Amino acid sequence: MISNIRFAAVNNTVMLKERRPSHYVTIFMRAELADPLKQEAQNLEPDKCDGWEWVEWPHIHQPIFEPLQILIDGGFKLDD
């Protein structure tokens, strides 16, 4: 369960070099765990997702979704 949900950022990404060129408008939201000591990430769509894990921001494993990389490259900080 999460609380304190709020807008974080938005970016507009045109990905022409992809196998299927695409355009994404990505809205990033922030939230806090309601009880950080008792909550674990859960993969509720194992047929679509290899898994979830907590990582330190901005040290995200590669490959990374291009809009997320743009957010990191732009200097987004979680403590803003």
Side-chain angles (χ1 to χ4, degrees), residues 5 17-18 20 23 25-27 37 46 63-64 69 72 79:
I5 303 163
K17 295 179 182 178
E18 298 294 316
R20 288 181 17 197
H23 171 227
V25 175
T26 308
I27 300 168
L37 299 177
I64 188 170
Q69 186 65 58
I72 292 168
D79 55 1

Side-chain angles (χ1 to χ4, degrees), residues 4-65:
N4 197 20
I5 303 163
R6 59 209 181 276
F7 173 80
V10 65
N11 65 30
N12 180 39
T13 310
V14 177
M15 296 185 278
L16 299 176
K17 295 179 182 178
E18 298 294 316
R19 181 174 51 89
R20 288 181 17 197
S22 55
H23 171 227
Y24 284 85
V25 175
T26 308
I27 300 168
F28 294 92
M29 302 296 290
R30 294 178 63 167
E32 298 170 13
L33 291 173
D35 187 352
L37 299 177
K38 293 185 178 180
Q39 291 183 255
E40 293 291 326
Q42 295 178 19
N43 183 2
L44 300 178
E45 295 183 300
D47 56 320
K48 297 179 183 177
C49 177
D50 289 336
W52 287 97
E53 66 180 293
W54 299 115
V55 297
E56 289 283 326
W57 181 263
H59 308 290
I60 312 297
H61 303 298
Q62 297 293 329
I64 188 170
F65 184 52

